[in-house]
Amino acid sequence: MDQDIFNMQAERLASKIKHYLITMMGITVDEAHEEAVYRALAMTLREEIMINWTATFHTIRNSQACMLYYLCMEYMPGKMLGNNIANMHASELVNAALKRLGRNLGQLVKQERDPALGNGGLGRLASCLLDSLATQQYPAVAYGLRYQYGIFEQEIWDGVQVERPEAWLLHENPWEFRRDHHAAAVKFAGRPVQIVNKKGVEMVDILDYEEVRAIAYDLPIIGYSVADDFNVCTLRVWTTKESPRNFALQRFNAGLLDQASENTLLTDVLYPNDNNEVGKRIRLKQEFLLASASIQDIIQRHLMHNPDLMFFPDKVRIQINDTHPALVISELMRLLLLDHHYSWAEAWEVVKTCCSYTNHTVLKESLEEWNEGRMQHLLPRQYHIIERLNLELCNSVRKKFPGDEERVRRMSIIQDGQVRMAHLAIYGSHKVNGVSALHTEILKKVIFKDFYEMDTEKFINITNGVTQRRFLLHSNPRLSAFITKKIGTKWITDFNEIQQLTKFASDPESQKEFLEIKKQNKKDLIIYLMEKNPICDFQGKIIGHFSPLDEEALFDVQIKRIHEYKRQLMNVLHLIMLYHELKANPSSRKIKRMVIFSGKAAPGYDMAKKIIQLIFAVAKKVNTDPMVSKMLKIAFIENYNVSRAEVIIPASDLSQQISTAGTEASGTGNIKLAMNGALTIGTQDGATIEMRQAVGDAWWPFAFGKTAEEISVLRPNYNPWDIYMHQLPIRQAVDALRDHSLAENDQQHQAFSSIYHALLEPVNSDPVDKYFIVSDLQSYYDTQKKVEELYAQPAKWAEYALHNIAGMGRFSSDESVHNYAKLVWNIKQCPVDPRELSRVRNEYSEHDKCRILNK
Ligand code: NBG
């Protein structure tokens, strides 16, 4: 852009910010606090976004494109302002405008809160896919819930996790738009009555039901573009909070406050469980709310431009992300039968054409099942449909496998008083996908084997990816600039380009630059650790701040939900071994190691909370030891979320991906870390396997542990005692769990002893060392030694790191959405039409020249 035009634009942008300060907040810029300027800037950007959003919508409508509707209970978008500016390619302009106002973008960005509407990987993946859908210009709308309280805020009081409500909506959110016009009515419970549609299909309807009104809020998801023609996708989230109808006044008058407000509070709280289902009544209501409100919206949208539903299966694709929204299957059936008088077979054909399902887990405890009685009571109409679907599924199994009643039992949707949501989702979908090659194999060969044998074509793999725009371009500006300097800017929207970085891997100059960038990023993290991560006593009083090792140390990170299968415990046991070693001989190790943990435990997950306590106890021992702490330090960063990830990941050297092989469906942190130049110490699990293949064994030095196959062979006869008895350092580490050398009080002693028991002497009938920690520990320990040897040779380390970054090309979520579009949805890209864009721009105002882009 010509300098004069640039200056003029910056001037206009600054004026518009002033305009909003006055018209929305009644203040002038000289008196405006940061929060007000943040808000005014967001409002200003919204103008430009609204233009493109409107034009994107018109383009899709005019082209009658087949649309994707993505249904998911969780999203973790991260802070929006910075990312939106980056995707609009407006950083320079915004900085110039703010400079004129004497403000600084870094300060404003801090005013925003993370919309933490998810637990972990599942929700963040959904947000990565949305970024890619928008950037790659696919016609898509995503649906979710607008939880008043997102995932809890984590504080740690003397090693104990304390949960606080995450009130992200305390201030008005400038990125959302309330759409009262699109409210939907959702009905629960009621008295069932039999009815028949015009085609003679018998159904259940309800009288005297509870009716809940779901109100829509829309959030714009902005696609990356250098020009001003970016696409915008919609994330529509439902709330039941603000409709007076949802409040049951009669119950209130009868003194039943709990019951009176149940439906106003329905979307209040996100259930804080990751990879673990707990069959709660309100959760079932939430799931149905999402399914029902969204499908009504989808149908209505279709009918806006079509006289009937004839072309519905050509124009609509519904992605069921994990089983949580699977009731969309029975709800779409119901609406087709009841409102549109389809025959049963016709309706089923439509459902199967439109729906597809992604599975995200193989853990038994995360596969959703609902109590049959509960579903029958809360959702009588849907239950009736599922019952019939179950009958038909069973009959089709009998037809294909005559006489195999055991198989029928295994496959049925309703069994032993439980409704198995995965079976419903598979049966109602035309495609089912896993999220990494290994995961999909396990779906086909183990957990959904019977379904695979029914219909092998249905099962496909689409390996997860992450967006390089948030996790590299936006959050690691130093490394981004380096990459762009070396290979140009194409990688931002075509990550396969990153492969070219291999050319620089052995170049000493590039290695030096890379190491310098890491150091700077580590310095940022060190400041963060010193200032923003206080240490609290058992009452939550701040008693000090952590003082990290310097940037020369290896920054070794494990950042993810705390879960036994992810094996943070193995990491800790290794640290205890290291501690013992350093205690005996402080010069036994050549490099300094700064270990970082971050992650939340589900509030009801006792063992995970004990593991956090253990991390703290070991950290305390290590960090307060004058000799050991020169070489080793351990930090736990509180309240892991997208924003914390954006600070930690660019500063990481070593990425811990150490789950028991066969348990982590994919992992996505593994990709983010490798993309930012961390080397992976990892098992053969999830997407890590494919990352290794892409990088090549020669540049993947720290693989270790038993494979999924080896584990399943070992399982029946596994006995960690042999190892414990014969490997002294391992025994000493495990013994530290109960010899009072770590515990400072009885409560801690109890906690650590029960960890010991889970490893070696389980109570009840639990399997011993369920996640094979003792079995993999030696191999992990040996590999950690290799890590230290390589880290002692910085140039070599940098060469490996550059090869790892270069190998991440196929792990962009852009690649994932292209695969879904081709293999599952059959949708085409639909770039915003330039004529439509200029028409909307003109209508917006020919004279209002505050537009920020207009290049
Ligand atoms: C998680 C898996 C991860 C995977 C993400 C995204 C759930 C239920 N599953 O391995 O544990 O990366 O999904 O697919 O949260």
Side-chain angles (χ1 to χ4, degrees):
M1 204 191 301
D2 170 303
Q3 194 58 40
D4 290 343
I5 299 182
F6 180 86
N7 288 339
M8 186 180 72
Q9 294 287 58
E11 202 55 57
R12 284 178 184 158
L13 185 52
S15 311
K16 197 75 186 199
I17 293 170
K18 291 184 195 160
H19 160 96
Y20 272 114
L21 284 170
I22 294 169
T23 58
M24 298 282 299
M25 283 160 270
I27 44 180
T28 53
V29 72
D30 48 316
E31 60 183 323
H33 42 89
E34 303 278 70
E35 214 270 336
V37 183
Y38 154 74
R39 197 163 292 281
L41 172 60
M43 295 287 186
T44 304
L45 297 175
R46 262 171 51 156
E47 292 197 3
E48 192 74 17
I49 293 167
M50 285 308 287
I51 293 171
N52 285 50
W53 204 357
T54 310
T56 306
F57 178 73
H58 289 175
T59 304
I60 295 169
R61 185 192 59 196
N62 297 345
S63 71
Q64 301 206 354
C66 178
M67 287 277 286
L68 164 70
Y69 298 96
Y70 190 85
L71 268 62
C72 186
M73 288 288 277
E74 302 190 7
Y75 294 92
M76 294 192 119
K79 291 187 178 161
M80 302 205 165
L81 178 65
N83 197 247
N84 286 352
I85 293 172
N87 276 8
M88 291 164 83
H89 202 72
S91 304
E92 255 184 89
L93 200 57
V94 169
N95 280 319
L98 290 174
K99 205 164 162 205
R100 285 168 163 74
L101 304 175
R103 305 294 172 139
N104 159 289
L105 185 58
Q107 285 308 110
L108 302 188
V109 167
K110 287 190 192 141
Q111 305 303 314
E112 196 166 272
R113 313 220 19 175
D114 274 45
L117 307 180
N119 274 285
L122 177 85
R124 183 53 234 179
L125 176 76
S127 287
C128 278
L129 293 178
L130 293 192
D131 180 90
S132 290
L133 284 166
T135 298
Q136 301 300 334
Q137 306 170 319
Y138 284 106
V141 173
Y143 290 99
L145 295 184
R146 183 176 177 271
Y147 305 105
Q148 196 78 13
Y149 300 100
I151 185 69
F152 63 86
E153 258 178 33
Q154 177 196 53
E155 286 180 17
I156 310 282
W157 296 3
D158 193 30
V160 177
Q161 170 176 296
V162 176
E163 298 101 25
R164 299 216 169 265
E166 161 55 72
W168 72 290
L169 287 173
L170 224 48
H171 297 272
E172 196 186 354
N173 175 6
W175 301 114
E176 64 179 12
F177 297 78
R178 182 171 159 150
R179 305 279 193 219
D180 292 281
H181 183 61
H182 293 279
V186 179
K187 295 174 187 168
F188 295 98
R191 189 154 49 80
V193 288
Q194 295 286 337
I195 51 160
V196 178
N197 82 355
K198 283 187 192 155
K199 296 266 169 59
V201 183
E202 284 180 19
M203 305 170 63
V204 162
D205 206 356
I206 42 176
L207 302 172
D208 307 328
Y209 43 77
E210 290 171 34
E211 183 172 321
V212 179
R213 198 176 148 84
I215 294 175
Y217 278 78
D218 286 354
L219 293 114
I221 307 293
I222 292 146
Y224 177 88
S225 175
V226 175
D228 56 2
D229 59 350
F230 56 92
N231 271 44
V232 181
C233 287
T234 304
L235 170 57
R236 175 162 290 180
V237 285
W238 302 104
T239 173
T240 62
K241 187 94 190 141
E242 297 184 54
S243 165
R245 289 219 201 150
N246 298 347
F247 189 72
L249 191 61
Q250 286 173 359
R251 290 187 191 161
F252 177 81
N253 289 339
L256 304 167
L257 182 58
D258 284 5
Q259 290 181 25
S261 54
E262 178 168 304
N263 289 331
T264 30
L265 305 183
L266 213 52
T267 52
D268 259 24
V269 190
L270 164 75
Y271 278 92
N273 303 310
D274 180 84
N275 258 308
N276 187 22
E277 287 309 326
V278 277
K280 291 270 167 51
R281 182 188 138 78
I282 298 298
R283 170 73 176 195
L284 180 57
K285 286 181 97 172
Q286 286 184 343
E287 292 186 357
F288 182 63
L289 184 91
L290 171 66
S292 177
S294 307
I295 193 66
Q296 291 181 52
D297 202 52
I298 294 168
I299 292 177
Q300 211 170 42
R301 214 180 158 102
H302 185 82
L303 290 177
M304 252 158 48
H305 315 293
N306 293 277
D308 55 33
L309 296 183
M310 176 129 113
F311 294 111
F312 191 81
D314 301 328
K315 301 289 175 201
V316 172
R317 291 294 173 269
I318 299 169
Q319 189 65 26
I320 303 172
N321 200 35
D322 227 35
T323 54
H324 319 134
L327 287 165
V328 75
I329 291 170
S330 49
E331 190 59 354
L332 177 54
M333 272 308 271
R334 192 185 69 78
L335 291 169
L336 293 173
L337 296 170
L338 184 78
D339 293 353
H340 302 276
H341 297 278
Y342 276 51
S343 74
W344 183 273
E346 287 163 351
W348 187 235
E349 200 47 45
V350 173
V351 168
K352 278 208 302 193
T353 307
C354 295
C355 295
S356 44
Y357 154 58
T358 306
N359 171 285
H360 291 268
T361 182
V362 296
L363 300 185
K364 252 207 145 45
E365 63 269 28
S366 12
L367 289 174
E368 257 193 320
E369 292 186 353
W370 287 108
N371 176 280
E372 197 181 348
R374 170 160 287 164
M375 189 179 278
Q376 211 169 355
H377 167 71
L378 277 178
L379 308 168
R381 299 171 303 172
Q382 289 68 32
Y383 176 77
H384 186 256
I385 289 170
I386 293 172
E387 235 185 344
R388 177 157 172 195
L389 289 176
N390 184 41
L391 201 72
E392 291 185 353
L393 166 63
C394 292
N395 285 337
S396 65
V397 178
R398 287 190 183 104
K399 205 161 144 204
K400 184 147 183 180
F401 302 95
D404 195 348
E405 277 307 303
E406 182 47 36
R407 183 184 291 264
V408 174
R409 227 184 61 82
R410 287 198 308 263
M411 291 182 71
S412 55
I413 301 171
I414 305 173
Q415 189 67 52
D416 302 329
Q418 297 290 109
V419 184
R420 304 194 277 211
M421 300 305 277
H423 294 198
L424 174 66
I426 298 172
Y427 187 45
S429 295
H430 68 281
K431 285 281 182 258
V432 175
N433 76 288
V435 288
S436 73
L438 174 68
H439 172 56
T440 302
E441 280 313 295
I442 296 174
L443 295 185
K444 295 200 286 202
K445 306 256 165 71
V446 188
I447 68 165
F448 300 141
K449 181 165 182 279
D450 294 319
F451 285 93
Y452 179 62
E453 286 168 3
M454 267 306 271
D455 185 353
T456 52
E457 300 293 301
K458 199 181 255 192
F459 288 80
I460 60 166
N461 176 60
I462 298 180
T463 298
N464 282 342
V466 310
T467 167
Q468 69 272 28
R469 287 167 292 278
R470 180 174 282 272
F471 289 103
L472 193 48
L473 179 69
H474 170 58
S475 64
N476 195 346
R478 295 185 182 104
L479 189 59
S480 298
F482 167 83
I483 294 171
T484 296
K485 190 174 81 184
K486 302 288 178 199
I487 66 169
T489 55
K490 270 203 185 141
W491 63 273
I492 298 169
T493 50
D494 177 4
F495 207 49
N496 291 307
E497 290 285 318
I498 202 75
Q499 183 62 40
Q500 291 185 52
L501 222 52
T502 44
K503 289 190 296 213
F504 303 90
S506 52
D507 163 39
E509 205 42 51
S510 304
Q511 294 167 353
K512 256 201 352 244
E513 283 176 69
F514 170 79
L515 292 170
E516 187 50 37
I517 288 165
K518 255 303 161 215
K519 259 189 207 160
Q520 293 303 327
N521 290 343
K522 288 197 225 178
K523 282 187 181 162
D524 289 349
L525 179 57
I526 288 169
I527 293 171
Y528 180 89
L529 275 167
M530 293 196 304
E531 291 176 359
K532 302 277 166 54
N533 201 53
I535 302 169
C536 295
D537 70 5
F538 69 103
Q539 290 174 314
K541 210 172 96 215
I542 297 180
I543 51 170
H545 283 265
F546 181 71
S547 88
L549 290 173
D550 65 24
E551 66 278 4
E552 301 298 331
L554 172 84
F555 275 44
D556 164 353
V557 309
Q558 190 173 19
I559 45 176
K560 48 184 81 238
R561 285 298 283 243
I562 313 292
H563 220 297
E564 284 164 281
Y565 84 82
K566 296 181 188 279
R567 299 202 292 195
Q568 279 92 355
L569 178 55
M570 188 163 76
N571 190 348
V572 185
L573 287 171
H574 170 252
L575 294 174
I576 299 175
M577 290 165 83
L578 256 183
Y579 171 70
H580 288 159
E581 246 178 85
L582 287 166
K583 199 74 190 148
N585 173 12
S587 54
S588 63
R589 295 293 172 130
K590 284 197 265 320
I591 65 148
K592 293 186 282 187
R593 190 190 283 260
M594 177 67 242
V595 180
I596 291 163
F597 290 89
S598 196
K600 295 175 184 177
Y605 190 173
D606 201 38
M607 185 51 87
K609 288 183 144 177
K610 286 174 177 160
I611 292 169
I612 295 180
Q613 271 194 294
L614 180 64
I615 295 172
F616 265 79
V618 176
K620 201 162 175 185
K621 271 264 160 305
V622 167
N623 299 345
T624 55
D625 187 296
M627 294 308 285
V628 174
S629 65
K630 288 196 179 119
M631 297 306 283
L632 176 65
K633 276 204 168 175
I634 302 171
F636 189 102
I637 298 183
E638 273 183 359
N639 200 37
Y640 186 54
N641 59 16
V642 176
S643 296
R644 302 275 191 300
E646 289 175 14
V647 186
I648 303 168
I649 291 171
S652 302
D653 294 310
L654 186 67
S655 157
Q656 299 244 15
Q657 306 302 334
I658 59 178
S659 51
T660 317
T663 60
E664 187 71 273
S666 158
T668 45
N670 46 0
I671 304 168
K672 290 165 204 158
L673 282 154
M675 193 181 262
N676 280 273
L679 298 187
T680 305
I681 179 163
T683 45
Q684 293 288 303
D685 204 15
T688 306
I689 299 177
E690 290 153 77
M691 288 163 60
R692 176 185 181 176
Q693 287 160 357
V695 170
D697 278 358
W699 300 109
W700 192 268
F702 310 135
F704 76 95
K706 297 212 160 48
T707 63
E709 226 176 291
E710 286 164 349
I711 298 261
S712 59
V713 172
L714 178 61
R715 183 169 280 119
N717 305 310
Y718 178 50
N719 179 9
W721 275 95
D722 289 347
I723 301 168
Y724 172 80
M725 294 308 289
H726 293 109
Q727 311 271 12
L728 186 60
I730 290 182
R731 187 161 83 222
Q732 285 168 339
V734 174
D735 283 346
L737 297 173
R738 55 167 191 173
D739 66 7
H740 290 91
S741 64
L742 296 170
E744 288 187 337
N745 54 43
D746 272 359
Q747 194 274 335
Q748 287 183 0
H749 180 63
Q750 296 284 328
F752 305 160
S753 298
S754 68
I755 298 176
Y756 167 88
H757 279 286
L759 283 178
L760 286 175
E761 298 173 48
V763 279
N764 310 325
S765 55
D766 292 348
V768 62
D769 187 15
K770 192 167 168 204
Y771 294 101
F772 298 83
I773 289 174
V774 177
S775 154
D776 272 349
L777 190 51
Q778 188 62 46
S779 152
Y780 179 57
Y781 175 90
D782 296 339
T783 311
Q784 284 285 18
K785 279 215 142 151
K786 284 203 228 161
V787 170
E788 299 190 357
E789 281 158 28
L790 188 61
Y791 192 73
Q793 309 163 65
K796 267 250 149 289
W797 182 277
E799 186 175 4
Y800 276 82
L802 289 168
H803 275 289
N804 274 258
I805 302 171
M808 289 305 107
R810 70 169 93 136
F811 301 98
S812 162
S813 43
D814 294 345
E815 181 83 12
S816 311
V817 299
H818 289 317
N819 285 330
Y820 277 105
K822 207 165 55 206
L823 303 172
V824 183
W825 303 324
N826 196 14
I827 58 170
K828 304 266 170 323
Q829 283 152 307
C830 189
V832 63
D833 178 350
R835 279 163 313 177
E836 196 53 41
L837 198 54
S838 71
R839 195 178 74 78
V840 178
R841 279 221 172 100
N842 282 334
E843 188 159 325
Y844 158 77
S845 166
E846 280 191 65
H847 306 293
D848 188 339
K849 294 298 184 199
C850 125
R851 296 193 290 269
I852 67 152
L853 292 166
N854 197 19
K855 289 164 192 161

